[in-house]
Amino acid sequence: MGQLSRLRVIEARDREPQVATKLAGRAKQTGERTFQLLRLNIGPRLTLCFVLIILAMLLGNAVLLWQFHQARVQAQRLSGVDQELIVVLQAHTNLMSFYQSVDELAHAENTAELMAEAEPLRTALLEDSQRYRNALNRLPPEVKLDPTLVPTLEAIQDALPAELAAITDLAKSKDWQAVRLRLANQVRPLESRSSALVKIIEQQVGDEQAEAVSQVVNLQKRILLIVPLTGVIILLIAALLGLAITRSITEPLGLLMEGSKALARGEFEHQVSVMGRDELAQLGQVFNDTATRLRSLYETLQHSEMYLEEAQRLTHTGSWVWKVAGGDALHLSDEWFRIYGFDPEKGMPGWEERLQRLHPEDRDRWQKTIDRAIREKSEYDIEFRILLPDGTLKYMHTVGHPVLDSSGKLMQFVGSSTDITERVSAEQTLRRSEGYLAEAQRLSRSGSWAWNVRTRALFWSQEHYRIYEYDPDKTILTWSHILERVHPEDRAAVQRRAEMESTQKELVDSGGDYRIVLPDGRVKRLHSIAHPVMNELGEITEVVGTTMDVTEQYEARAALETAFEQIKELRDQLYKENIALREEVDKVSMFEEIVGSSEPLRRVLVQVAKVAATDSTVLILGETGTGKEMIARAIHRRSKRANRAFIRVNCAAIPPTLIASELFGHEKGAFTGASQRRLGRFELADGGTIFLDEIGELPAETQSSLLRVLQEREFERVGGTQSVSVDTRVLSATNRDLKAAVAAGTFRQDLFYRLNVFPILLPSLRERADDIPLLVEYLIERYAKKAGKKLRNIDKKTLQLFQDYSWPGNIRELQNVVERAVVLCDGETFSVEESWLKRELPHESSRLNPLSKGLGRLDETKEKEMIEAALAQTAGRVSGPTGAAALLGVPRQTLESKIANLGINKYRFKSV
């Protein structure tokens, strides 16, 4: 235990230099972070430093107090150990006394005396036991009791009463030999145990005292070390804080001094970089703001000078200053030099040179004006002419202002000279224009007038007199003259308008039409425009305007309106004829390339015409080759989206893994090979129409996405998270029975109802046999033109064959047969071999037909096997009534796409 205490003392002594090193490092960091002090004002900053120094001193004192506390703890510990030893000695002494008393009574063999002493001894034993326990419990917590002390004492104290009772019983029986044996065998060992315990405690007390002495010595050493170390650390902290505060004050002051010198040199762009929020930082900010303001004022002054110079140039005004004594010029602006034709590089011209520029006829008047201004010390304002050496004549307007000294003596004149040549020329032009205006008014039959609202005086131009047919030399105009000429029906309106023009509160021009009646009964129609003139108080003082004789225009307008009515009637008639003609053309052309006039086709076209103008979803049903795509294009062309995109998608020709990307697009990195974002067909068709052909072949997962587009008009690209909104009309087509597919679970029922808003069932060609002649004629003309042939006739037998044939491939099959026949035809008559239309599909193909209905939903391996089997059966032929497409029950384009996607070589089946 003593060794453990000595180790703790050594560790505490070793930690003291480490603590000093850490304090020094923190003090250094404090010096490096001086800028944080700049957040405080100087007063609080100094206060903070003093507080830190006081805290450091208190910390040192606390360390000393802690050492003194340790010394007190050691003293308490020694006192406790001594008390422990005293308790053990007392217990041992009492035990010896008990043994001696009982032994004496045993040798005396006096039973009565032993019985009398037994009870006091028992009471003394119990009291001693309780006293020992209390003494041990009162020991300080720092005293570590020997683990055997308390158990040994309790064992001895607990055994003595029992032994006393046994000895008393033996004494009652007069067996004193047994009593003495009992004392020797039972009580005497307890005395030995007590003696051993005394020795152990004495040894422990000695160790504790030695350890305490050692700790006191170490404590003295630590106190001798802490006192100077604390003083050094406090001085170091005070020095670092003083240095930091000094730097935080002197550095900004130095920057401010440097900025002041720069400002004195005129370097207004100089800025002081002062961190913090203290008074010096605020002073630095004020300095920067002042420098910025001075720079702004300086730039403004420079700009003002530039603007003044530019203004003088634009207004042709030159400024000047000249002394009265001698007439020498003190300042002449660049514009003055330009106006007077002097070279500024030669210096300012003298009085005589400037006088020579004056026009000879104006010199005397100019000189008298200057002499009067000098004599009266007054301003002068004069207009005159100057004559430049090249003979240029200029009109000048000069204004001069006298400058007096403090005694009232005239020292100089400052002023400006303006080139008013253009103004004078304009005035002359204006006078000419007045003459032109009078002539123009006469020619345009427009007269100007003015009406003084206060005096009621009127002014009319010559043309205005002529319009009213008054003689200006004999008539003094009044309002009665105007009202005398105004048509009685318009007289009240003219009076109201005159009242309104003279009392309105806004500068708004007004106009009106009225009639006048001349003495000979002729009626003139006049159009008058009035404009109010207000004074500075906002009161109307005068109304000016013009009056035009529009009699001829009115008569011409009336004739024109009559002509317009006639044109409108003709236009309406042409519009009705155009509508009728367009309806006739529609009936003949039957929706562009849709040829036929049979009743089933007409019903379909009526449906197309009705649904095209709406945005409803259309489902086009019919056998393969019946022209579903042409119907879809016709709906688009006749819709309000006709000028936007028509996007066609063959759902069966696209692999199931790519159909979603094809329809909705994909983001970059959405799957392997998606190197960039790609817009889907729905985005390309935004604002237009999308046609989903073979909709029955759409995979189940894509059906869900399509349903969302139909419901919410939005979708997400493959690999994307943002919704894309589109405004797209959806047309779809299929040759499959979608209701059966819904029942079989291969087509979503909710999607079917969304697509089946407006179903159109196309008749097969056998149902519209009446259209076959028209179709044949149309196809012959198209393919003959392409082949460069002229076919004028159609073989009747061929036409009958066409009408009798069932055409399982519908119009597509008819196109193929006609195209082949046109190619093989050598004459001018169109005909086909009867054998072409008598072939029937082999019965073996029936085993493929049921599977062909689900061709789009098979995996690639089975799909490839079915297509290769069909190609082998048809000898590699894809199109035509005996081709693989007809055998599988899919469109030729769909089968061609699948052959290309699956990598099938259809030519290797040619030899089969």
Side-chain angles (χ1 to χ4, degrees):
M1 184 174 180
Q3 291 178 355
L4 181 61
S5 299
R6 283 192 293 272
L7 288 174
R8 290 176 178 173
V9 172
I10 294 172
E11 289 176 359
R13 188 170 62 244
D14 292 340
R15 283 198 301 269
E16 289 174 359
Q18 298 177 3
V19 173
T21 304
K22 290 182 179 179
L23 289 174
R26 291 178 180 175
K28 183 178 179 181
Q29 292 178 1
T30 302
E32 292 175 351
R33 297 177 181 176
T34 304
F35 70 92
Q36 294 187 359
L37 294 174
L38 302 178
R39 296 178 178 272
L40 301 174
N41 290 337
I42 296 176
R45 198 183 307 166
L46 293 173
T47 303
L48 178 62
C49 292
F50 287 127
V51 170
L52 291 176
I53 293 172
I54 293 172
L55 289 177
M57 294 174 66
L58 292 176
L59 181 62
N61 293 334
V63 173
L64 288 175
L65 291 175
W66 174 254
Q67 296 301 319
F68 290 134
H69 171 71
Q70 293 296 322
R72 185 177 62 81
V73 168
Q74 292 299 327
Q76 291 177 353
R77 187 176 175 187
L78 286 175
S79 175
V81 172
D82 292 340
Q83 292 177 8
E84 180 185 6
L85 180 58
I86 292 171
V87 170
V88 174
L89 289 175
Q90 287 178 351
H92 178 68
T93 302
N94 292 336
L95 180 60
M96 291 295 293
S97 176
F98 173 80
Y99 175 78
Q100 185 177 359
S101 298
V102 175
D103 185 60
E104 290 177 355
L105 293 172
H107 281 86
E109 297 181 356
N110 188 347
T111 302
E113 185 179 0
L114 180 60
M115 295 299 294
E117 292 292 334
E119 186 61 29
L121 287 174
R122 184 182 295 106
T123 302
L125 287 174
L126 295 175
E127 291 177 353
D128 291 341
S129 177
Q130 185 63 36
R131 187 167 58 253
Y132 299 153
R133 288 189 180 94
N134 293 337
L136 291 175
N137 290 333
R138 287 195 300 270
L139 292 178
E142 293 82 3
V143 178
K144 304 296 183 181
L145 295 177
D146 188 272
T148 62
L149 173 61
V150 176
T152 302
L153 288 177
E154 290 179 350
I156 294 172
Q157 296 298 323
D158 293 341
L160 288 177
E163 293 298 328
L164 180 60
I167 291 171
T168 304
D169 293 338
L170 290 175
K172 288 179 181 179
S173 63
K174 302 297 185 175
D175 188 359
W176 296 104
Q177 183 64 27
V179 169
R180 284 189 290 272
L181 288 174
R182 185 90 181 176
L183 285 172
N185 294 331
Q186 298 296 329
V187 179
R188 188 68 177 180
L190 294 177
E191 180 185 356
S192 301
R193 290 179 64 184
S194 176
S195 298
L197 183 60
V198 169
K199 292 178 181 180
I200 291 172
I201 298 303
E202 285 179 348
Q203 179 64 31
Q204 180 181 354
V205 170
D207 292 341
E208 291 289 341
Q209 287 177 347
E211 182 180 354
V213 171
S214 176
Q215 288 185 359
V216 169
V217 173
N218 293 330
L219 183 61
Q220 291 175 350
K221 293 179 180 180
R222 286 200 300 272
I223 291 175
L224 293 176
L225 178 63
I226 288 172
V227 171
L229 184 60
T230 304
V232 171
I233 292 174
I234 292 174
L235 289 176
L236 181 60
I237 292 174
L240 292 176
L241 290 175
L243 178 60
I245 293 209
T246 303
R247 289 182 59 188
S248 68
I249 295 174
T250 56
E251 288 183 358
L253 283 176
L255 293 175
L256 288 173
M257 289 297 297
E258 196 176 310
S260 300
K261 294 177 181 179
L263 201 61
R265 293 192 299 269
E267 300 175 3
F268 300 114
E269 70 280 357
H270 186 85
Q271 293 286 299
V272 175
S273 177
V274 179
M275 298 184 297
R277 302 174 183 173
D278 59 354
E279 295 90 339
L280 293 176
Q282 296 175 8
L283 184 59
Q285 185 62 42
V286 170
F287 176 87
N288 291 337
D289 294 343
T290 303
T292 302
R293 184 66 182 274
L294 289 175
R295 182 173 67 252
S296 176
L297 292 175
Y298 180 70
E299 292 175 353
T300 302
L301 181 60
Q302 288 181 324
H303 291 161
S304 298
E305 292 179 353
M306 181 182 66
Y307 297 151
L308 177 60
E309 183 178 350
E310 184 67 15
Q312 288 185 356
R313 186 184 66 81
L314 294 175
T315 59
H316 307 293
T317 302
S319 57
W320 45 260
V321 180
W322 58 273
K323 292 192 304 182
V324 175
D328 294 332
L330 299 177
H331 164 74
L332 296 173
S333 67
D334 293 340
E335 185 63 18
W336 188 95
F337 278 102
R338 193 195 64 78
I339 293 172
Y340 277 80
F342 288 106
D343 187 358
E345 295 182 358
K346 296 180 179 180
M348 290 183 287
W351 177 268
E352 291 298 328
E353 292 180 276
R354 302 199 305 274
L355 193 60
Q356 290 298 321
R357 286 287 192 267
L358 268 66
H359 194 282
E361 297 178 359
D362 297 338
R363 284 178 190 170
D364 291 340
R365 183 169 57 88
W366 185 85
Q367 187 64 52
K368 291 179 181 178
T369 301
I370 296 299
D371 292 341
R372 180 185 56 80
I374 293 174
R375 182 175 62 255
E376 297 178 359
K377 301 178 183 180
S378 62
E379 296 180 350
Y380 62 89
D381 187 337
I382 184 174
E383 292 184 2
F384 55 92
R385 295 168 294 175
I386 60 173
L387 189 62
L388 302 185
D390 60 359
T392 301
L393 181 65
K394 292 185 178 181
Y395 290 85
M396 302 297 299
H397 176 218
T398 295
V399 177
H401 177 75
V403 178
L404 309 178
D405 62 7
S406 58
S407 62
K409 181 180 179 181
L410 180 62
M411 302 300 297
Q412 57 191 23
F413 277 95
V414 298
S416 63
S417 296
T418 304
D419 184 357
I420 59 173
T421 305
E422 293 181 359
R423 192 193 75 185
V424 173
S425 177
E427 291 174 352
Q428 295 173 352
T429 303
L430 179 61
R431 285 191 288 272
R432 290 194 298 271
S433 297
E434 289 176 352
Y436 300 152
L437 177 61
E439 184 64 18
Q441 287 185 350
R442 186 185 66 81
L443 295 175
S444 63
R445 299 178 182 179
S446 300
S448 57
W449 52 267
W451 174 38
N452 191 309
V453 176
R454 295 179 179 178
T455 63
R456 315 295 289 181
L458 291 171
F459 164 79
W460 280 8
S461 66
Q462 293 296 322
E463 184 62 19
H464 207 279
Y465 278 104
R466 191 197 64 77
I467 292 173
Y468 276 78
E469 295 189 1
Y470 279 120
D471 187 352
D473 297 330
K474 298 180 180 179
T475 306
I476 300 176
L477 285 175
T478 60
W479 261 103
S480 60
H481 292 89
I482 298 176
L483 296 177
E484 181 182 343
R485 288 283 195 266
V486 175
H487 194 284
E489 296 178 0
D490 298 339
R491 206 167 282 166
V494 170
Q495 288 179 325
R496 286 195 303 271
R497 184 167 156 241
E499 183 66 23
M500 182 269 295
E501 291 170 351
S502 61
T503 57
Q504 63 178 334
K505 300 299 183 182
E506 297 179 358
L507 288 173
V508 179
D509 293 347
S510 61
D513 295 326
Y514 60 95
R515 295 165 293 175
I516 61 173
V517 181
L518 300 178
D520 58 3
R522 287 180 295 114
V523 177
K524 288 186 177 181
R525 292 185 176 270
L526 305 182
H527 177 72
S528 179
I529 300 174
H531 174 76
V533 179
M534 294 186 176
N535 58 14
E536 62 276 4
L537 299 178
E539 300 172 346
I540 298 178
T541 59
E542 191 176 22
V543 180
V544 297
T546 181
T547 299
M548 293 168 282
D549 184 356
V550 295
T551 305
E552 293 184 359
Q553 291 91 324
Y554 178 82
E555 294 173 352
R557 186 184 302 111
L560 188 61
E561 289 176 355
T562 302
F564 279 161
E565 289 295 330
Q566 296 174 353
I567 292 173
K568 183 178 178 181
E569 293 176 0
L570 293 174
R571 184 196 65 184
D572 294 340
Q573 182 179 355
L574 288 174
Y575 177 72
K576 295 176 182 177
E577 293 176 357
N578 186 30
I579 291 177
L581 182 61
R582 286 175 59 187
E583 291 177 352
E584 186 66 23
V585 171
D586 285 344
K587 291 178 182 178
V588 174
S589 65
M590 294 303 291
F591 289 76
E592 295 86 10
E593 295 184 356
I594 301 176
V595 179
S597 59
S598 64
E599 186 60 28
L601 182 60
R602 284 182 177 273
R603 288 196 297 268
V604 169
L605 296 181
V606 169
Q607 289 180 303
V608 170
K610 290 181 178 180
V611 78
T614 70
D615 275 341
S616 299
T617 303
V618 179
L619 177 60
I620 306 173
L621 304 170
E623 298 179 5
T624 180
T626 52
K628 294 186 285 296
E629 182 178 349
M630 294 183 65
I631 293 296
R633 292 186 180 275
I635 292 174
H636 172 70
R637 283 195 293 266
R638 297 179 69 88
S639 71
K640 59 186 177 182
R641 301 172 182 262
N643 59 341
R644 304 301 293 271
F646 177 83
I647 303 298
R648 176 186 178 275
V649 181
N650 190 334
C651 300
I654 303 173
T657 56
L658 298 179
I659 185 66
S661 172
E662 188 71 20
L663 290 177
F664 309 118
H666 61 256
E667 298 289 348
K668 180 179 179 181
F671 50 82
T672 303
S675 58
Q676 61 183 2
R677 173 188 286 183
R678 182 177 183 273
L679 300 182
R681 298 298 182 91
F682 269 96
E683 284 187 81
L684 296 176
D686 189 17
T689 305
I690 186 169
F691 174 53
L692 302 177
D693 199 5
E694 304 294 344
I695 189 68
E697 309 300 329
L698 205 62
E701 58 272 12
T702 310
Q703 293 179 22
S704 301
S705 302
L706 179 59
L707 179 62
R708 181 187 176 191
V709 176
L710 293 174
Q711 289 177 340
E712 303 176 8
R713 298 294 180 181
E714 64 178 25
F715 59 88
E716 294 178 359
R717 301 189 188 97
V718 177
T721 58
Q722 294 184 346
S723 297
V724 179
S725 299
V726 292
D727 176 21
T728 305
R729 184 180 189 179
V730 178
L731 308 179
S732 57
T734 183
N735 59 1
R736 292 182 56 201
D737 185 356
L738 292 184
K739 292 183 178 179
V742 170
T746 59
F747 200 83
R748 292 179 63 106
Q749 185 178 24
D750 47 4
L751 178 59
F752 171 72
Y753 289 135
R754 283 285 180 179
L755 295 173
N756 199 39
V757 174
F758 194 93
I760 297 178
L761 178 61
L762 298 188
S764 62
L765 187 56
R766 58 183 173 274
E767 295 173 335
R768 43 181 291 209
D770 295 342
D771 292 334
I772 291 178
L774 290 176
L775 287 168
V776 171
E777 183 178 351
Y778 170 77
L779 293 174
I780 290 173
E781 181 181 357
R782 190 170 78 177
Y783 291 125
K785 184 177 180 181
K786 185 186 299 184
K789 296 182 179 182
K790 293 184 178 180
L791 299 178
R792 303 183 184 276
N793 303 313
I794 301 177
D795 184 64
K796 294 183 178 180
K797 185 178 180 181
T798 296
L799 191 59
Q800 187 63 41
L801 285 174
F802 279 177
Q803 289 181 314
D804 294 340
Y805 184 58
S806 61
W807 299 106
N810 292 293
I811 297 176
R812 185 179 294 114
E813 183 182 1
L814 177 63
Q815 288 177 335
N816 295 338
V817 171
V818 172
E819 183 178 5
R820 179 171 35 159
V822 169
V823 172
L824 296 177
C825 188
D826 294 329
E828 295 184 351
T829 301
F830 175 82
S831 64
V832 298
E833 295 182 12
E834 186 176 354
S835 60
W836 292 2
L837 303 181
K838 289 185 177 181
R839 290 182 181 176
E840 295 182 358
L841 295 178
H843 295 288
E844 293 80 355
S845 64
S846 61
R847 63 183 178 87
L848 295 175
N849 288 338
L851 296 176
S852 66
K853 296 181 180 180
L855 185 62
R857 299 191 302 276
L858 297 175
D859 57 33
E860 291 188 358
T861 303
K862 292 183 180 180
E863 196 174 46
K864 186 174 182 181
E865 291 177 356
M866 288 185 62
I867 294 174
E868 288 179 343
L871 289 172
Q873 187 172 338
T874 59
R877 184 178 182 84
V878 176
S879 61
T882 60
L887 184 63
L888 294 172
V890 296
R892 176 182 60 80
Q893 299 93 327
T894 302
L895 185 58
E896 291 283 5
S897 300
K898 290 186 176 291
I899 290 173
N901 293 333
L902 296 173
I904 300 174
N905 183 8
K906 63 183 179 181
Y907 299 104
R908 67 185 177 89
F909 298 99
K910 296 290 186 180
S911 60
V912 177

